[in-house]
Amino acid sequence: MDNPYTILEKKDIVHKFLSLCSLVSICENKKLNLANVFLLVLKEERYRNIFKNSLLIDNNFELIKFFLQHDPYLYKSKYITKFLKKNPINI
């Protein structure tokens, strides 16, 4: 059983994550779903850096893991799979 501090910390991290996803949508001036936000984070280093700095994540692998923990079905997106096959990123 988690203590109250841990519960609040987890909620705060999820709130930051969703706020950053909204920020990406605003910056792109489009309504984006999570798969498209994830794709943009994979493509653009500036978004990766914003997410890593805000969520206190050390590397790209942890960031990808965070996205997949939030939504385990992201890997099924054909656009993400296609992008990763064409452009392997440094993890």
Side-chain angles (χ1 to χ4, degrees), residues 3-39:
N3 66 34
Y5 176 78
T6 307
I7 293 169
L8 285 175
E9 187 177 39
K10 286 180 183 178
K11 285 183 178 186
D12 185 50
I13 290 171
V14 170
H15 177 73
K16 281 183 190 177
F17 174 73
L18 294 175
S19 296
L20 289 168
C21 292
S22 296
L23 175 71
V24 171
S25 292
I26 291 168
C27 290
E28 294 295 316
N29 201 20
K30 297 177 186 174
K31 185 175 180 182
L32 301 172
N33 62 20
L34 187 60
N36 288 329
V37 170
F38 183 49
L39 192 58

Side-chain angles (χ1 to χ4, degrees), residues 36-63:
N36 288 329
V37 170
F38 183 49
L39 192 58
L40 280 169
V41 168
L42 292 174
K43 286 180 181 179
E44 300 200 26
E45 186 177 358
R46 65 184 172 143
Y47 290 138
R48 279 196 305 271
N49 289 336
I50 290 170
F51 272 80
K52 288 189 296 188
N53 290 333
S54 298
L55 298 173
L56 302 175
I57 295 174
D58 294 331
N59 54 43
N60 292 338
F61 178 76
E62 291 296 322
L63 180 60

